[in-house]
C-alpha cells in the first residue's frame, strides 16, 4: 500500500530516483516513526509524512517528519551533528537535559552577528516558545555607514511590531517562519525576493539546542514568538525570569519589536 510520503525534488536528487521510488511505493518507508521535528510519533500510512535528508560531509541520514511540521527537504549539517542525530534516531536517547544557552550565529553578508536565545514567555497563563534576537553590534542600513542603529527600523519595515506591553501576544508576520529540525533550531526564514522560496534571515552555524520544555511548548502552540532588540538592550540572561525582566525593560524603553511565526512548513 502506498505510503503518504512527500519526497521533494532536492531529496530525490540526493538519494536517486530508484531509492525515491522505493520509498514512495512503501518498500523502504517506515510505518511508524518519531517525527524528526517535533519528536512525537507519526505513521506514514495514516498521515502525510515528509522525508528529510540530513547531509553531513561524509554521510547522509534519511529521517521522517509530519508534513505538518516541516516540508520534505535536504538539511545540511556538520558531520558531528549528523553523528549525534544518528545516535538519537537509533537509540532514541533524545535531548533531555540540554540547557538552552545563548547561541551566536552569523547573518549572511553582515558584519554584526545576531545572538539568538531561546526561552519561554508567559502570556495569558500559557507558556509560549520565544526567541530573543539581539545583534552584537549596531546594524547599519545596507549602503549606509552613519552612526545610527537601523536594526529596529529595518525590522519594522519588514512587519515586526513595536512591543509596549509584554502581556500582549505579538501579531503574526506572513511569510516568516522558524525552521526546527531534529528537535533543534536551524533558522528563521523570511519571504524570498519576488515571492520566491523563503530564505534565511538568521541561520545557525551550529543548530541550536532547545530545552524539552521549549519543544513541548512549540508542539502545543505551533507558533514561535520572535522578539528583537538592538545591541546592548537585552544581554545574555541565564534565567527565564531575568530574560523576562530584560524584555520588559526593553519594551518600557521602546526598543523591543516582535512577531509571531509558525514553524516552517506549517
Ligand atoms: Zn511532527
Amino acid at each position: 500500500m502506498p505510503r503518504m510520503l512527500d519526497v521533494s525534488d532536492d531529496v530525490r536528487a540526493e538519494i536517486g530516483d530508484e531509492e525515491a521510488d522505493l520509498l514512495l511505493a512503501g518498500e523502504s518507508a517506515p510505518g511508524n516513526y518519531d517525527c524528526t521535528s517535533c519528536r512525537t510519533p507519526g505513521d506514514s500510512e495514516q498521515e502525510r509524512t515528509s522525508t528529510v535528508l540530513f547531509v553531513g560531509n561524509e554521510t547522509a541520514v534519511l529521517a521522517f517528519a509530519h508534513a505538518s511540521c516541516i516540508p520534505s527537504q535536504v538539511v545540511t549539517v556538520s558531520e558531528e551533528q549528523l553523528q549525534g542525530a544518528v545516535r538519537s534516531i537509533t537509540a532514541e536517547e533524545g535531548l533531555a537535559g540540554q540547557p538552552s544557552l545563548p547561541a551566536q550565529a552569523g547573518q549572511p553578508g553582515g558584519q554584526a552577528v545576531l545572538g539568538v536565545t531561546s526561552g519561554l514567555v508567559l502570556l495569558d497563563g500559557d507558556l509560549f516558545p520565544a526567541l530573543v534576537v539581539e545583534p552584537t553590534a549596531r546594524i547599519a542600513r545596507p549602503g549606509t555607514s552613519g552612526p545610527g542603529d537601523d536594526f529596529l527600523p529595518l525590522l519594522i519595515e519588514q512587519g515586526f511590531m513595536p512591543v509596549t506591553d509584554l502581556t500582549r501576544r505579538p501579531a503574526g508576520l506572513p511569510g516568516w517562519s522558524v525552521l526546527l529540525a531534529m528537535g533543534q533550531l536551524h533558522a528563521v526564514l523570511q519571504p524570498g525576493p519576488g515571492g520566491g522560496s523563503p530564505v534565511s534571515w538568521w541561520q545557525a552555524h551550529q543548530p541550536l539546542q532547545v530545552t524539552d520544555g521549549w519543544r513541548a511548548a512549540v508542539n502545543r502552540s505551533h507558533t514561535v514568538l520572535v522578539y528583537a532588540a538592538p545591541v546592548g538592550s537585552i544581554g545574555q540572561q541565564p534565567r527565564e525570569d531575568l530574560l523576562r525582566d530584560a524584555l520588559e525593560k526593553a519594551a518600557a524603553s521602546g526598543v523591543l519589536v516582535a512577531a509571531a511565526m509558525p514553524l516552517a512548513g506549517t
Side-chain angles (χ1 to χ4, degrees):
M1 173 183 161
R3 313 294 168 115
M4 299 167 71
L5 272 189
D6 291 336
V7 178
S8 70
D9 289 346
D10 56 343
V11 170
R12 177 178 281 271
E14 287 282 340
I15 65 179
D17 283 335
E18 196 177 330
E19 175 69 21
D21 292 340
L22 284 176
L23 278 167
L24 290 172
E27 298 284 330
S28 55
N32 297 302
Y33 59 89
D34 277 338
C35 172
T36 193
S37 178
C38 73
R39 298 202 170 244
T40 63
D43 182 346
S44 65
E45 292 181 4
Q46 304 289 334
E47 55 203 323
R48 289 215 74 85
T49 295
S50 297
T51 52
V52 180
L53 187 69
F54 292 96
V55 179
N57 298 333
E58 292 158 16
T59 37
V61 175
L62 192 62
F64 300 91
H66 302 117
S68 58
C69 284
I70 51 172
S72 175
Q73 62 190 284
V74 174
V75 178
T76 306
V77 294
S78 72
E79 195 63 27
E80 204 175 288
Q81 287 286 333
L82 191 64
Q83 295 309 322
V86 171
R87 277 197 300 277
S88 75
I89 288 169
T90 53
E92 310 255 0
E93 67 190 16
L95 296 162
Q98 292 285 351
S100 173
L101 293 173
Q104 298 284 313
Q107 190 185 29
Q111 283 288 90
V113 167
L114 294 180
V116 172
T117 306
S118 63
L120 294 168
V121 170
L122 188 66
L123 286 181
D124 295 331
D126 275 328
L127 281 174
F128 283 85
L131 296 177
V132 179
V133 182
E134 181 179 3
T136 55
R138 69 180 189 84
I139 303 283
R141 190 174 290 275
T144 68
S145 56
D149 188 337
D150 292 321
F151 185 54
L152 288 193
L154 286 166
L155 287 182
I156 289 168
E157 283 167 23
Q158 299 274 349
F160 280 73
M161 296 294 286
V163 177
T164 51
D165 180 355
L166 208 61
T167 63
R168 289 241 180 107
R169 184 175 165 164
L173 184 52
W176 287 64
S177 59
V178 172
L179 178 61
L180 199 67
M182 284 198 295
Q184 296 176 318
L185 181 66
H186 282 258
V188 176
L189 305 176
Q190 64 180 350
S197 301
V199 296
S200 290
W201 173 66
W202 168 82
Q203 174 142 31
H205 283 316
Q206 284 264 327
L208 174 61
Q209 296 281 3
V210 295
T211 60
D212 289 346
W214 199 92
R215 207 159 43 238
V218 86
N219 287 346
R220 284 194 305 269
S221 67
H222 286 276
T223 296
V224 179
L225 308 182
V226 179
Y227 294 90
V231 57
S233 39
I234 304 285
Q236 297 198 342
Q237 304 298 336
R239 297 203 320 257
E240 301 272 354
D241 56 330
L242 297 176
L243 182 63
R244 172 127 194 152
D245 288 349
L247 286 173
E248 279 175 350
K249 237 177 91 188
S253 311
V255 292
L256 188 66
V257 298
M261 299 180 192
L263 292 180
T266 58

